Amino acid sequence: MALALFALALGAFAIGTTEFVIMGLLPEVAVGLDVSIPAAGSLISAYAVGVVLGAPLLTALSTRLPRKSALLLFLGVFIAGNLVTALAPSYPTVFLARLLAGLPHGAFLGVGTLVAANLVGPAGKATAVSRVLLGLTVANIVGVPGGTFLGQVFGWRAAFLVVAAIGAVAVLGVLAYVPRMPAPEGVGLRREIAALGRRQVVLGLTTGVFGFAGVFAVYSYISPMMTELAGMPAGAVPVVLALFGVGMTAGSLVVGPLADRALRPTIYASLALLAVVLVLFTFAVHNPWTAAIGVVLLGGAGFGVTAPLQVLVMNEARDAPTMAAASNHSAFNLANAGGAWLGGVGISAGLGLISPALIGAVLTVVGLALALTAGRSARRPGTTATPDREPVEATR
């Protein structure tokens, strides 16, 4: 079981690396493709669009596939997208390749977390889900800085070749260690879509959009905040980004066992803590040491929201959780885009570089209100909400 979880986490590590490594290589990509920095930045958006579109699309195409086959299909698309990115001769081709690479992001993480949950059973599924998603957090500590270094030394294309190779190793791990899990009987696309429309699922997804948007309202502008408000040198920014990854990893390790004991209270506490951290960040950011501590806490509190929400959505979708589990990652990418946009609105309105933290706190409070609303709704007599520890799905 441990090796199966490691193989799934390795796939998540590759996904997390390819999503964020391009941010550190924008100048090299722009020069290599003979485009402007803003045009190169559009390649980040291309990947995000791929995530949002791919989660429901690939999930719909794979609902009747055995789980292991679906994982291998998603990894195959991911590897192809990164290989084409590395070998593409022109900007339009790279743009399409980034879109392709993003398509399996949510589908792989959705099915991968379902597989992890079923490997351990209902009592430990939040911990198992957090271990798979740990790959995303470690990517921010090791994969993104390492890929950026490789891209700067050997050319930006080398970073995506290495990511494709990591994806290939993940394929071997899934083949060797993930047991065969047939698709649930009688669960087709219609039932998956119906499950996606359940009130508790919709509230869970919306909670993720608003709650996690608070993180990206700040993270998107962390570099100018550290240099202009905290007074750090530009060379310290990569260290700060690694500290964010350390916080994410710590949050992932802590929140899984807590969510296994009390799922909804863990979500409430994580969102409340995140809102408090964002408010305190407005004061802490004016000193380099307290700013660094604030970044660690931001990563920990922010990632404390993700795994519990993933389990909640899987639970509430009950016997047809695949589409909902994958769509949760589309929700997080919408949070990424929306948080960054709203943070930029505050800066453009003349509210200063500190404004994204306050905007993020408001967004997180909205997410907390949605989570509390969902919790009250689930306790009403006659509701059909799934208990926290109900198995995600039955396998034959």
Side-chain angles (χ1 to χ4, degrees):
M1 182 190 71
L3 289 174
L5 292 178
F6 178 79
L8 295 171
L10 185 61
F13 174 84
I15 285 171
T17 300
T18 203
E19 180 178 15
F20 293 111
V21 72
I22 194 169
M23 296 177 184
L25 294 172
L26 283 184
E28 289 79 10
V29 173
V31 171
L33 296 175
D34 193 25
V35 297
S36 66
I37 291 288
S42 296
L43 298 175
I44 300 171
S45 301
Y47 186 90
V49 170
V51 176
V52 174
L53 296 178
L57 177 62
L58 288 186
T59 302
L61 294 174
S62 63
T63 51
R64 296 192 180 277
L65 286 178
R67 299 302 189 200
K68 186 171 182 175
S69 299
L71 289 171
L72 294 172
L73 170 65
F74 302 150
L75 284 171
V77 175
F78 173 81
I79 292 168
N82 282 279
L83 283 176
V84 176
T85 299
L87 302 175
S90 64
Y91 175 80
T93 314
V94 174
F95 188 94
L96 292 174
R98 287 292 291 170
L99 183 69
L100 176 65
L103 289 176
H105 178 121
F108 176 83
L109 294 175
V111 174
T113 51
L114 284 171
V115 169
N118 280 276
L119 283 173
V120 301
K125 60 187 172 184
T127 299
V129 167
S130 68
R131 295 298 181 266
V132 173
L133 297 181
L134 191 64
L136 294 175
T137 72
V138 175
N140 282 276
I141 302 174
V142 179
V144 174
T148 300
F149 174 78
L150 285 174
Q152 290 172 341
V153 174
F154 299 105
W156 66 270
R157 297 177 187 272
F160 296 98
L161 286 173
V162 170
V163 168
I166 295 171
V169 175
V171 166
L172 296 177
V174 171
L175 280 171
Y177 300 115
V178 174
R180 184 177 182 275
M181 289 185 179
E185 292 185 20
V187 179
L189 180 58
R190 184 173 298 178
R191 283 183 64 184
E192 291 283 354
I193 293 175
L196 188 62
R198 289 172 183 158
R199 174 181 171 81
Q200 287 293 323
V201 174
V202 172
L203 283 170
L205 294 175
T206 311
T207 298
V209 171
F210 282 94
F212 211 62
V215 176
F216 278 98
V218 172
Y219 187 69
S220 301
Y221 304 97
I222 200 71
S223 180
M225 283 183 172
M226 293 300 104
T227 55
E228 297 185 31
L229 297 180
M232 293 184 183
V237 172
V239 177
V240 172
L241 297 179
L243 288 175
F244 182 80
V246 170
M248 292 173 67
T249 302
S252 177
L253 292 171
V254 170
V255 78
L258 291 176
D260 280 326
R261 294 188 183 95
L263 182 57
R264 289 187 188 271
T266 300
I267 293 172
Y268 305 152
S270 296
L271 287 167
L273 176 61
L274 177 57
V276 170
V277 168
L278 286 165
V279 171
L280 293 178
F281 193 78
T282 63
F283 302 98
V285 75
H286 297 286
N287 175 280
W289 294 104
T290 55
I293 295 171
V295 168
V296 174
L297 294 176
L298 180 66
F303 204 80
V305 177
T306 56
L309 276 177
Q310 180 80 359
V311 174
L312 177 69
V313 168
M314 287 157 48
N315 282 355
E316 297 301 341
R318 295 191 287 281
D319 55 352
T322 312
M323 185 78 77
S327 296
N328 201 38
H329 295 280
S330 293
F332 287 133
N333 270 266
L334 288 174
N336 185 341
W341 176 70
L342 288 171
V345 167
I347 296 171
S348 299
L351 301 178
L353 278 172
I354 202 64
S355 61
L358 294 173
I359 292 169
V362 173
L363 291 169
T364 301
V365 169
V366 173
L368 176 58
L370 288 166
L372 291 169
T373 299
R376 286 195 297 269
S377 175
R379 291 193 298 269
R380 288 174 187 164
T383 58
T384 57
T386 306
D388 286 354
R389 294 195 173 191
E390 182 177 316
V392 174
E393 62 181 30
T395 56
R396 287 181 289 166

